[in-house]
Amino acid sequence: MKATHLTSIICSLIIGASLITGCLIITPKDVTETKQELNIAEGQVNLINSPLLNIKQAAEYLNLTEEQVTYIIQSEQSTLTKMGSFSGEMFPYFKINHQIFISKTDLTNWIKDATTQRREYTQGLVVH
């Protein structure tokens, strides 16, 4: 009986040590990956819940680069300045201390209008 009891204790200790060692080996990678996934998820939640986007978020939302979003804004402003008017919905942004913010709701309307008009942004101007 004592040999069986001792064998059970030794087996339990070996299994316990194996579990702890396995967890220590696996955990650092999982924790890092989990933190990165949480940061990405938090960014997506902020993007979903916020009524305003910055240039980077708007570019991600539109699946464009930041440079392309800036080019759209500049092209529409150039067209407005040269022609004296702009037909349709302009890119929905405003500035605070040189920082650009975009209305997410109005951005959806702008997308509909720009695609309906089949706008082209060429040589710094908007062509309808």
Side-chain angles (χ1 to χ4, degrees):
M1 267 255 206
K2 288 186 179 185
T4 306
H5 184 64
L6 185 59
T7 304
S8 296
I9 291 174
I10 292 172
C11 287
S12 296
L13 288 173
I14 290 172
I15 290 171
S18 297
L19 285 171
I20 291 171
T21 304
C23 289
L24 291 174
I25 292 170
I26 294 171
T27 300
K29 291 179 183 176
D30 288 347
V31 169
T32 303
E33 290 172 5
T34 303
K35 284 181 182 178
Q36 289 172 347
E37 289 170 2
L38 284 174
N39 289 339
I40 290 168
E42 286 174 7
Q44 290 172 345
V45 168
N46 290 339
L47 181 62
I48 292 167
N49 293 330
S50 176
L52 292 177
L53 306 171
N54 60 30
I55 289 284
K56 182 178 180 183
Q57 292 168 327
E60 288 173 12
Y61 182 78
L62 295 169
N63 199 26
L64 300 173
T65 66
E66 292 178 49
E67 291 78 19
Q68 288 172 317
V69 172
T70 303
Y71 183 76
I72 288 169
I73 292 169
Q74 291 170 346
S75 297
E76 289 185 354
Q77 189 60 46
S78 292
T79 300
L80 176 63
T81 301
K82 286 184 180 183
M83 304 297 185
S85 66
F86 188 88
S87 64
E89 197 79 30
M90 288 187 73
F91 196 85
Y93 78 96
F94 62 93
K95 287 184 179 182
I96 299 175
N97 293 330
H98 303 291
Q99 203 172 10
I100 295 176
F101 295 95
I102 295 107
S103 165
K104 191 172 173 187
T105 304
D106 292 339
L107 187 56
T108 303
N109 295 333
W110 175 84
I111 293 168
K112 289 176 187 175
D113 190 61
T115 53
T116 301
Q117 292 184 9
R118 299 190 190 279
R119 286 190 198 154
E120 292 182 34
Y121 295 84
T122 305
Q123 298 176 353
L125 294 172
V126 180
V127 180
H128 298 264

mmCIF file of all heavy atoms in Angstrom, residues 107-126:
data_model
loop_
_atom_site.group_PDB
_atom_site.id
_atom_site.type_symbol
_atom_site.label_atom_id
_atom_site.label_comp_id
_atom_site.label_asym_id
_atom_site.label_seq_id
_atom_site.Cartn_x
_atom_site.Cartn_y
_atom_site.Cartn_z
ATOM 1 N N LEU A 107 -18.993 61.196 -43.825
ATOM 2 C CA LEU A 107 -18.096 60.478 -44.721
ATOM 3 C C LEU A 107 -18.870 59.420 -45.514
ATOM 4 O O LEU A 107 -18.638 59.243 -46.712
ATOM 5 C CB LEU A 107 -16.958 59.823 -43.930
ATOM 6 C CG LEU A 107 -15.851 59.165 -44.730
ATOM 7 C CD1 LEU A 107 -15.211 60.148 -45.707
ATOM 8 C CD2 LEU A 107 -14.790 58.606 -43.785
ATOM 9 N N THR A 108 -19.819 58.782 -44.872
ATOM 10 C CA THR A 108 -20.666 57.805 -45.566
ATOM 11 C C THR A 108 -21.460 58.489 -46.672
ATOM 12 O O THR A 108 -21.562 57.968 -47.783
ATOM 13 C CB THR A 108 -21.629 57.122 -44.566
ATOM 14 O OG1 THR A 108 -20.845 56.526 -43.529
ATOM 15 C CG2 THR A 108 -22.469 56.061 -45.236
ATOM 16 N N ASN A 109 -21.999 59.678 -46.391
ATOM 17 C CA ASN A 109 -22.733 60.441 -47.407
ATOM 18 C C ASN A 109 -21.804 60.856 -48.547
ATOM 19 O O ASN A 109 -22.183 60.831 -49.716
ATOM 20 C CB ASN A 109 -23.396 61.673 -46.789
ATOM 21 C CG ASN A 109 -24.461 61.302 -45.787
ATOM 22 O OD1 ASN A 109 -25.067 60.236 -45.869
ATOM 23 N ND2 ASN A 109 -24.685 62.168 -44.821
ATOM 24 N N TRP A 110 -20.580 61.268 -48.198
ATOM 25 C CA TRP A 110 -19.610 61.674 -49.217
ATOM 26 C C TRP A 110 -19.282 60.500 -50.138
ATOM 27 O O TRP A 110 -19.189 60.664 -51.353
ATOM 28 C CB TRP A 110 -18.337 62.206 -48.546
ATOM 29 C CG TRP A 110 -17.260 62.516 -49.535
ATOM 30 C CD1 TRP A 110 -17.101 63.666 -50.258
ATOM 31 C CD2 TRP A 110 -16.203 61.642 -49.952
ATOM 32 N NE1 TRP A 110 -16.006 63.557 -51.087
ATOM 33 C CE2 TRP A 110 -15.440 62.319 -50.914
ATOM 34 C CE3 TRP A 110 -15.834 60.350 -49.599
ATOM 35 C CZ2 TRP A 110 -14.329 61.771 -51.515
ATOM 36 C CZ3 TRP A 110 -14.719 59.791 -50.211
ATOM 37 C CH2 TRP A 110 -13.982 60.499 -51.163
ATOM 38 N N ILE A 111 -19.110 59.317 -49.563
ATOM 39 C CA ILE A 111 -18.806 58.126 -50.367
ATOM 40 C C ILE A 111 -19.922 57.884 -51.379
ATOM 41 O O ILE A 111 -19.664 57.654 -52.565
ATOM 42 C CB ILE A 111 -18.623 56.878 -49.470
ATOM 43 C CG1 ILE A 111 -17.382 57.010 -48.601
ATOM 44 C CG2 ILE A 111 -18.550 55.607 -50.310
ATOM 45 C CD1 ILE A 111 -17.280 55.965 -47.498
ATOM 46 N N LYS A 112 -21.166 57.963 -50.923
ATOM 47 C CA LYS A 112 -22.311 57.749 -51.819
ATOM 48 C C LYS A 112 -22.312 58.780 -52.945
ATOM 49 O O LYS A 112 -22.494 58.447 -54.107
ATOM 50 C CB LYS A 112 -23.624 57.817 -51.036
ATOM 51 C CG LYS A 112 -23.851 56.650 -50.125
ATOM 52 C CD LYS A 112 -25.129 56.835 -49.317
ATOM 53 C CE LYS A 112 -25.266 55.735 -48.285
ATOM 54 N NZ LYS A 112 -26.415 55.945 -47.403
ATOM 55 N N ASP A 113 -22.098 60.044 -52.587
ATOM 56 C CA ASP A 113 -22.120 61.115 -53.574
ATOM 57 C C ASP A 113 -20.960 60.993 -54.564
ATOM 58 O O ASP A 113 -21.154 61.125 -55.779
ATOM 59 C CB ASP A 113 -22.077 62.477 -52.874
ATOM 60 C CG ASP A 113 -22.336 63.627 -53.822
ATOM 61 O OD1 ASP A 113 -23.428 63.676 -54.415
ATOM 62 O OD2 ASP A 113 -21.425 64.467 -53.983
ATOM 63 N N ALA A 114 -19.769 60.728 -54.057
ATOM 64 C CA ALA A 114 -18.588 60.623 -54.922
ATOM 65 C C ALA A 114 -18.716 59.444 -55.885
ATOM 66 O O ALA A 114 -18.343 59.555 -57.054
ATOM 67 C CB ALA A 114 -17.315 60.490 -54.086
ATOM 68 N N THR A 115 -19.276 58.349 -55.420
ATOM 69 C CA THR A 115 -19.425 57.192 -56.313
ATOM 70 C C THR A 115 -20.573 57.398 -57.295
ATOM 71 O O THR A 115 -20.466 56.997 -58.453
ATOM 72 C CB THR A 115 -19.651 55.884 -55.524
ATOM 73 O OG1 THR A 115 -20.742 56.045 -54.625
ATOM 74 C CG2 THR A 115 -18.407 55.498 -54.754
ATOM 75 N N THR A 116 -21.636 58.048 -56.864
ATOM 76 C CA THR A 116 -22.754 58.325 -57.769
ATOM 77 C C THR A 116 -22.307 59.244 -58.906
ATOM 78 O O THR A 116 -22.671 59.043 -60.061
ATOM 79 C CB THR A 116 -23.932 58.975 -57.005
ATOM 80 O OG1 THR A 116 -24.350 58.080 -55.979
ATOM 81 C CG2 THR A 116 -25.100 59.267 -57.921
ATOM 82 N N GLN A 117 -21.498 60.254 -58.565
ATOM 83 C CA GLN A 117 -20.995 61.192 -59.575
ATOM 84 C C GLN A 117 -19.791 60.632 -60.346
ATOM 85 O O GLN A 117 -19.338 61.258 -61.300
ATOM 86 C CB GLN A 117 -20.581 62.510 -58.909
ATOM 87 C CG GLN A 117 -21.721 63.300 -58.364
ATOM 88 C CD GLN A 117 -21.237 64.634 -57.810
ATOM 89 O OE1 GLN A 117 -20.080 65.032 -57.973
ATOM 90 N NE2 GLN A 117 -22.136 65.343 -57.148
ATOM 91 N N ARG A 118 -19.289 59.506 -59.919
ATOM 92 C CA ARG A 118 -18.098 58.890 -60.526
ATOM 93 C C ARG A 118 -16.946 59.888 -60.618
ATOM 94 O O ARG A 118 -16.341 60.108 -61.674
ATOM 95 C CB ARG A 118 -18.414 58.316 -61.898
ATOM 96 C CG ARG A 118 -19.473 57.242 -61.852
ATOM 97 C CD ARG A 118 -19.585 56.546 -63.192
ATOM 98 N NE ARG A 118 -20.725 55.675 -63.250
ATOM 99 C CZ ARG A 118 -20.781 54.437 -62.755
ATOM 100 N NH1 ARG A 118 -19.762 53.957 -62.115
ATOM 101 N NH2 ARG A 118 -21.866 53.707 -62.877
ATOM 102 N N ARG A 119 -16.656 60.497 -59.485
ATOM 103 C CA ARG A 119 -15.594 61.507 -59.443
ATOM 104 C C ARG A 119 -14.229 60.908 -59.732
ATOM 105 O O ARG A 119 -13.939 59.776 -59.384
ATOM 106 C CB ARG A 119 -15.535 62.140 -58.051
ATOM 107 C CG ARG A 119 -16.640 63.066 -57.774
ATOM 108 C CD ARG A 119 -16.378 63.817 -56.495
ATOM 109 N NE ARG A 119 -17.628 64.374 -56.034
ATOM 110 C CZ ARG A 119 -17.893 64.651 -54.784
ATOM 111 N NH1 ARG A 119 -16.998 64.446 -53.846
ATOM 112 N NH2 ARG A 119 -19.055 65.157 -54.447
ATOM 113 N N GLU A 120 -13.405 61.740 -60.353
ATOM 114 C CA GLU A 120 -12.006 61.390 -60.585
ATOM 115 C C GLU A 120 -11.160 62.519 -60.009
ATOM 116 O O GLU A 120 -11.451 63.697 -60.232
ATOM 117 C CB GLU A 120 -11.717 61.246 -62.081
ATOM 118 C CG GLU A 120 -12.390 60.053 -62.709
ATOM 119 C CD GLU A 120 -12.033 59.910 -64.187
ATOM 120 O OE1 GLU A 120 -10.884 60.244 -64.548
ATOM 121 O OE2 GLU A 120 -12.912 59.492 -64.943
ATOM 122 N N TYR A 121 -10.128 62.156 -59.297
ATOM 123 C CA TYR A 121 -9.207 63.116 -58.712
ATOM 124 C C TYR A 121 -7.925 63.051 -59.530
ATOM 125 O O TYR A 121 -7.153 62.115 -59.418
ATOM 126 C CB TYR A 121 -8.974 62.791 -57.242
ATOM 127 C CG TYR A 121 -10.233 62.959 -56.430
ATOM 128 C CD1 TYR A 121 -11.175 61.943 -56.339
ATOM 129 C CD2 TYR A 121 -10.501 64.160 -55.793
ATOM 130 C CE1 TYR A 121 -12.346 62.112 -55.619
ATOM 131 C CE2 TYR A 121 -11.668 64.341 -55.069
ATOM 132 C CZ TYR A 121 -12.586 63.311 -54.991
ATOM 133 O OH TYR A 121 -13.742 63.487 -54.287
ATOM 134 N N THR A 122 -7.733 64.051 -60.401
ATOM 135 C CA THR A 122 -6.622 64.053 -61.343
ATOM 136 C C THR A 122 -5.933 65.404 -61.350
ATOM 137 O O THR A 122 -6.603 66.434 -61.417
ATOM 138 C CB THR A 122 -7.128 63.748 -62.768
ATOM 139 O OG1 THR A 122 -7.848 62.521 -62.731
ATOM 140 C CG2 THR A 122 -6.007 63.624 -63.761
ATOM 141 N N GLN A 123 -4.621 65.394 -61.304
ATOM 142 C CA GLN A 123 -3.794 66.599 -61.382
ATOM 143 C C GLN A 123 -4.262 67.668 -60.394
ATOM 144 O O GLN A 123 -4.286 68.849 -60.701
ATOM 145 C CB GLN A 123 -3.794 67.136 -62.810
ATOM 146 C CG GLN A 123 -3.201 66.144 -63.789
ATOM 147 C CD GLN A 123 -3.290 66.631 -65.223
ATOM 148 O OE1 GLN A 123 -3.904 67.642 -65.526
ATOM 149 N NE2 GLN A 123 -2.670 65.885 -66.116
ATOM 150 N N GLY A 124 -4.607 67.246 -59.198
ATOM 151 C CA GLY A 124 -4.987 68.182 -58.148
ATOM 152 C C GLY A 124 -6.365 68.779 -58.280
ATOM 153 O O GLY A 124 -6.695 69.709 -57.564
ATOM 154 N N LEU A 125 -7.179 68.284 -59.208
ATOM 155 C CA LEU A 125 -8.543 68.780 -59.390
ATOM 156 C C LEU A 125 -9.522 67.613 -59.406
ATOM 157 O O LEU A 125 -9.139 66.465 -59.567
ATOM 158 C CB LEU A 125 -8.666 69.555 -60.699
ATOM 159 C CG LEU A 125 -7.867 70.860 -60.793
ATOM 160 C CD1 LEU A 125 -7.946 71.408 -62.210
ATOM 161 C CD2 LEU A 125 -8.372 71.892 -59.790
ATOM 162 N N VAL A 126 -10.810 67.951 -59.254
ATOM 163 C CA VAL A 126 -11.862 66.949 -59.283
ATOM 164 C C VAL A 126 -12.547 67.031 -60.643
ATOM 165 O O VAL A 126 -12.965 68.101 -61.090
ATOM 166 C CB VAL A 126 -12.903 67.186 -58.171
ATOM 167 C CG1 VAL A 126 -13.989 66.138 -58.224
ATOM 168 C CG2 VAL A 126 -12.230 67.198 -56.820
#
